[in-house]
Amino acid sequence: MPQVLIEVDRLTKSFGATKAVDGISFEVYAGEIFGFLGPNGAGKTTTIKILTGLLTPTSGRARLGGFDVVRQPLAAKRILGYVPDEPNVYQKLTAVEFLDFVGDAYGMSARQKALRIGELLALFGLDGAAGDLLGSYSHGMKQKVLLCAAFLHDPKIYILDEPTVGLDPRSARLLKTLLREVTARGGAVFMSTHIMEIAQSLCDRVAIINRGRIAAAGSVLELQRLSGERTLEDVFLGLTDGVTGTGMAAAARGPLPETP
Amino acid sequence: MLLCAALLRQRYLAARRDWAGRLVYVVAAAAGAVLFACIALMSYAGAAYLRHAHAQALLVSIPAWAFLVYLFTDVFIAFGQALGDLYLAADVPVLLVMPLRTASIVVAKFVAGVVTNEVYVSAFLVPFVLGYLTGAAAAWWSYPLALLGVVVFPALLYAALASVTIVVLRYVRADKAKEVLWLCGAVVPTIFWVVSFWGVARANGDITTLQLPAAPSWLPSTWVGDLVAAGATHDVWPAVGWFAFLLATTVVACPVALAFIARGFLRGYSEAATNPPAVRRRAGHFGRSSALRALVRKDVRTFLRTPQLWFGHITALGFIAYLLVGHRAQTPILPLTVQLAMVQLGFVAMLAGLNPGMTALSLEHAAIWLLRSLPLSAADIVGDKLAVAWGQTAILVCAGGLALCYGYHFDAPHTLAVVVFGLLMAAVSVGCGLAFDATYPSFQWDNPNAINRGIRMVMPFLSSIAVLLACALVLGLARVALHGAAGVLVGLAASALLAAAVVRANVRRALQRVACLEP
Ligand SMILES: Nc1ncnc2c1ncn2[C@@H]1O[C@H](COP(=O)(O)OP(=O)(O)OP(=O)(O)O)[C@@H](O)[C@H]1O
Ligand SMILES: [Mg+2]
């Protein structure tokens, strides 16, 4: 049995009256890429923010590598690489200064930093702009800097919130390769995405979350077999009160809704 | 019109949401009321004293100068505000792609800007006018007239300042324009002030013949001042005349300025929206640092690369110049002692430390998630913020303190006492500001000078002022009880204890808040 690296147990988060996350539980094992799918506002980002220590859960527990994210936040964060959904960075630092700062926060040595920063910037094709202020970077370039920051200290656990949004095809491919290498070395990846193709081709297992609850979880094949749908997209639409292919056709045949 | 109302409503709602906690509202309202009452009472006392001392000339020359001071302060604030409201506000791109005429956007933004200024006016000028008129036993009709004049005043001011902003944008690159405007806003009034008061300092004689030099008659602040002064002297026709003049100028100037702004708006906007050109810096070599040192280095770099953050300090230094000049005028009333100089520098230090303290966390902006997701402890974060905010203030306090003591001809031990007291007060205001910022952070802003708009300023300001007053009291008591060096030393030691207690309490609160911050 592989080691459990991410453990989520009956996690709940309420914002006032809305339950953004409603008692979800799942586990992510070493060596796997776990996809987190769900419609807009389903609670993906909220879950991820709890896992990374940005939000405190209303109830329930989350552990990274055995460390409780609420009780042992520093230990949990040390083995974590995180890329948020929006690439907000320090506008007044250059890419190199930014990565240097992140390296220091993880307690990396000078040699390690020099080696890794050069390597990652070159890998993502940022070495030409490494000395520019991040404020002058494009959306995708900032995203790449954050990917560099997440890979910098070679963590065991990666948590990525829609990491491919804004990346060009070459960088998206590079990211997939890097994530595969991570799992080959025994790491775990937890990523949210809206792109079914990525989920289908990259993820070993997926969970579909809808209105804060997990509607289904398992490997893509299992989900297809269970629901009897042909593609992951059909499974997704069927489970998240979206209209499936056949349903759409029926809706199209019906009378047009009245416009106000 | 509709757009105006929509923008105002949206700003009002945003302000309300910022202050969602009920308690905060109550405390802020109470703090505002205290400020209002203090200004009104002080103006009343001053005016009444001068009236009983038959210092008619001085009494009459005060309003124009009071409004001039407000005008200078406003120049400093409003340039940034005009630039921020018109060009850097996040909603401008959205408004621009809507099918709206540029002119209506400009008008709506203008009205919103004037309304913001009216808030300042009602907090600072209205209590002054009320206190002054009552103290001077003014005629009844002067109250409504003066208040109306005070309400009209900001529109004229803002029209002029917004026009200057547009002109500057035409000749100076947008990324430099902000700095140029803030620099003008700080330097011009300071020079003007020093030059004008130099004359007073030389004016000899007793209080009944003393008067302030005539304020420049082309400034609208002088018109409002003369309007208020005419109320004090029961001259009804000059008062009505000044009011009519003010109103007429505003009615003519605002549309002209708005037409001018609307014409240059689109071009100015696309310039202001242009990002500064990429700055190429050496890659540098890497050294290993602790998390705290890495944080400090990051914040120092940000400070050095963000000129908007320096200008608060430049104004604070301007204060030293005011004090040096002002002291020559006030000597007969208030004897210059080491203790007085300590409190003076303490006040400057408090003002200088407030902004760095109460923006320390908010300056993280949208990147605040990073501090929370990296393995950094709350102690690291708070320690860094304290060090950077206090450090920049300390440099200013040392420079300002040395200048002040040199000007006052103090010897080395006295200079040391003054500077140490300044450093203590800087720590107090940084601490109060930081605790406040950790409790009510604001990570969504368009430019760093907009973080502290409005009521946010008031609470840390009042709490640090209270500590300063307590320390001033302690210093005074120690001076009376134990003369000479012993008095200074004991007063300083007692102040240090008080300051340490305040800083400790605030740091504790900041630590708690940072630990459960949810960006
Ligand atoms: N800070 C907040 N305050 C109040 N409600 C929030 C907050 N953050 C999220 N929510 C609510 O929680 C729910 C889940 O939001 P979340 O951001 O987790 O969705 P998501 O699955 O990431 O959606 P998307 O695919 O659009 O990124 C939404 O209903 C949202 O309105
Ligand atoms: Mg999301």
Side-chain angles (χ1 to χ4, degrees):
Chain A
M1 194 68 187
Q3 189 194 356
V4 177
L5 282 185
I6 305 178
E7 190 185 345
V8 171
D9 185 20
R10 285 164 291 172
L11 202 62
T12 301
K13 177 73 186 179
S14 312
F15 294 109
T18 42
K19 272 195 170 172
V21 174
D22 190 1
I24 63 173
S25 305
F26 60 83
E27 283 164 351
V28 181
Y29 300 98
E32 75 171 345
I33 300 183
F34 191 92
F36 204 40
L37 316 182
N40 296 130
K44 303 183 293 295
T45 299
T46 307
T47 308
I48 286 178
K49 282 186 171 169
I50 297 173
L51 287 178
T52 51
L54 295 174
L55 294 177
T56 38
T58 309
S59 69
R61 276 219 253 187
R63 288 211 184 101
L64 298 183
F67 299 112
D68 190 298
V69 296
V70 177
R71 294 210 200 102
Q72 300 150 287
L74 293 194
K77 286 170 187 174
R78 264 184 213 115
I79 52 167
L80 167 73
Y82 166 53
V83 178
D85 50 349
E86 280 170 32
N88 291 314
V89 288
Y90 295 122
Q91 312 273 336
K92 302 282 176 174
L93 295 190
T94 69
V96 173
E97 289 166 353
F98 178 76
L99 293 174
D100 185 26
F101 164 71
V102 172
D104 283 332
Y106 286 112
M108 293 171 70
S109 74
R111 245 176 58 88
Q112 275 176 318
K113 279 191 294 184
L115 205 72
R116 288 291 285 169
I117 292 176
E119 191 179 272
L120 284 165
L121 286 175
L123 202 57
F124 279 96
L126 288 175
D127 36 1
D132 295 349
L133 292 187
L134 293 177
S136 69
Y137 272 38
S138 75
H139 182 96
M141 289 163 83
K142 287 181 197 158
Q143 185 87 0
K144 287 186 197 175
V145 171
L146 287 180
L147 283 169
C148 292
F151 281 96
L152 189 64
H153 66 297
D154 203 11
K156 262 197 136 133
I157 299 175
Y158 289 80
I159 297 186
L160 316 172
D161 200 350
E162 303 185 28
T164 51
V165 172
L167 289 186
D168 57 40
R170 173 192 291 273
S171 314
R173 168 68 66 84
L174 172 65
L175 175 62
K176 287 187 206 171
T177 316
L178 288 175
L179 292 181
R180 276 270 156 251
E181 283 174 14
V182 164
T183 52
R185 287 198 305 268
V189 177
F190 179 85
M191 61 185 276
S192 78
T193 180
H194 284 298
I195 305 172
M196 292 300 142
E197 185 271 323
I198 291 184
Q200 193 143 18
S201 66
L202 190 65
C203 296
D204 302 298
R205 283 194 306 139
V206 298
I208 296 178
I209 179 172
N210 190 28
R211 297 187 189 166
R213 289 166 189 259
I214 295 205
S219 72
V220 174
L221 275 178
E222 275 168 17
L223 291 187
Q224 284 168 343
R225 215 176 44 228
L226 276 175
S227 63
E229 303 277 2
R230 249 178 309 140
T231 64
L232 183 61
E233 188 172 4
D234 290 333
V235 177
F236 179 88
L237 293 175
L239 284 171
T240 56
D241 18 273
V243 260
T244 57
T246 40
M248 281 281 260
R253 277 195 304 274
L256 283 174
E258 275 181 48
T259 43
Chain B
M1 273 325 279
L2 271 176
L3 187 62
C4 272
L7 280 184
L8 282 179
R9 198 182 131 71
Q10 171 239 333
R11 184 170 283 188
Y12 166 73
L13 285 177
R16 266 195 55 176
R17 284 195 193 115
D18 275 355
W19 296 91
R22 261 282 168 83
L23 181 70
V24 182
Y25 249 134
V26 175
V27 176
V34 169
L35 190 66
F36 191 97
C38 283
I39 296 179
L41 272 178
M42 272 156 52
S43 317
Y44 171 79
Y49 171 77
L50 290 179
R51 186 166 63 89
H52 289 301
H54 302 289
Q56 192 67 11
L58 189 56
L59 186 64
V60 168
S61 58
I62 280 177
W65 281 89
F67 284 101
L68 189 63
V69 171
Y70 178 80
L71 182 129
F72 285 158
T73 321
D74 203 57
V75 166
F76 189 69
I77 300 171
F79 273 142
Q81 197 193 337
L83 195 74
D85 277 351
L86 290 169
Y87 289 125
L88 305 175
D91 63 341
V92 172
V94 183
L95 293 176
L96 277 179
V97 298
M98 286 180 183
L100 297 169
R101 282 188 310 132
T102 319
S104 31
I105 298 179
V106 169
V107 171
K109 284 277 168 193
F110 181 79
V111 172
V114 172
V115 169
T116 315
N117 274 312
E118 296 286 0
V119 175
Y120 296 134
V121 164
S122 45
F124 294 104
L125 288 185
V126 169
F128 164 73
V129 168
L130 291 179
Y132 175 84
L133 287 179
T134 318
W140 65 267
W141 49 259
S142 60
Y143 290 85
L145 211 54
L147 288 180
L148 275 177
V150 165
V151 169
V152 171
F153 179 50
L156 191 58
L157 209 58
Y158 196 58
L161 294 179
S163 305
V164 173
T165 309
I166 302 281
V167 173
V168 168
L169 271 180
R170 189 159 291 177
Y171 296 106
V172 183
R173 265 218 335 260
D175 57 312
K176 297 272 175 297
K178 285 169 254 178
E179 281 74 60
V180 169
L181 286 171
W182 271 303
L183 197 61
C184 292
V187 171
V188 173
T190 306
I191 292 175
F192 191 82
W193 189 268
V194 171
V195 170
S196 316
F197 261 118
W198 213 248
V200 187
R202 307 239 165 106
N204 282 320
D206 69 321
I207 197 160
T208 49
T209 55
L210 194 68
Q211 84 177 76
L212 298 175
S217 57
W218 50 272
L219 281 176
S221 58
T222 312
W223 311 339
V224 197
D226 288 347
L227 160 60
V228 174
T233 51
H234 297 251
D235 293 323
V236 67
W237 291 118
V240 173
W242 281 122
F243 178 70
F245 184 60
L246 192 71
L247 195 64
T249 317
T250 310
V251 168
V252 174
C254 284
V256 171
L258 283 173
F260 173 70
I261 295 169
R263 255 189 56 202
F265 185 73
L266 279 181
R267 190 181 132 182
Y269 177 74
S270 73
E271 305 234 316
T274 311
N275 257 337
V279 186
R280 188 158 289 279
R281 287 165 205 279
R282 263 186 320 116
H285 68 284
F286 300 101
R288 181 178 184 154
S289 314
S290 69
L292 181 62
R293 279 185 47 190
L295 279 165
V296 169
R297 195 165 52 213
K298 164 188 86 74
D299 282 342
V300 169
R301 279 182 171 142
T302 305
F303 175 75
L304 292 179
R305 292 172 192 174
T306 316
Q308 288 101 303
L309 299 178
W310 313 339
F311 287 97
H313 295 319
I314 294 180
T315 342
L317 275 182
F319 243 100
I320 298 281
Y322 289 178
L323 284 174
L324 280 173
V325 175
H327 127 70
R328 302 168 127 244
Q330 59 183 246
T331 313
I333 306 169
L334 208 58
L336 181 68
T337 59
V338 188
Q339 281 85 355
L340 180 67
M342 285 162 98
V343 175
Q344 287 179 338
L345 187 69
F347 183 70
V348 173
M350 202 207 79
L351 284 187
L354 215 48
N355 210 48
M358 63 187 293
T359 56
L361 268 173
S362 297
L363 272 182
E364 292 287 320
H365 206 194
I368 180 68
W369 65 270
L370 203 72
L371 287 196
R372 300 288 291 128
S373 68
L374 291 176
L376 300 169
S377 65
D380 279 337
I381 297 173
V382 170
D384 154 54
K385 296 300 177 190
L386 271 182
V388 173
W390 186 77
Q392 50 180 283
T393 316
I395 293 174
L396 179 121
V397 168
C398 290
L402 290 180
L404 194 71
C405 293
Y406 179 76
Y408 286 174
H409 305 294
F410 282 0
D411 58 6
H414 283 170
T415 304
L416 187 67
V418 170
V419 170
V420 168
F421 187 80
L423 293 176
L424 286 175
M425 288 306 113
V428 166
S429 77
V430 164
C432 290
L434 183 61
F436 184 82
D437 196 31
T439 315
Y440 305 105
S442 147
F443 298 116
Q444 311 297 327
W445 38 262
D446 303 325
N447 77 75
N449 292 72
I451 300 177
N452 277 336
R453 262 199 206 163
I455 205 153
R456 239 181 95 86
M457 289 293 282
V458 179
M459 285 202 280
F461 176 75
L462 286 183
S463 43
S464 339
I465 278 280
V467 177
L468 178 68
L469 287 180
C471 289
L473 192 68
V474 168
L475 285 177
L477 287 179
R479 179 186 161 78
V480 174
L482 318 147
H483 297 275
V488 177
L489 266 182
V490 169
L492 191 62
S495 304
L497 285 180
L498 187 62
V502 172
V503 170
R504 202 178 116 99
N506 279 306
V507 166
R508 279 207 173 162
R509 189 164 133 216
L511 279 172
Q512 279 166 7
R513 293 298 177 161
V514 165
C516 56
L517 196 67
E518 295 199 342

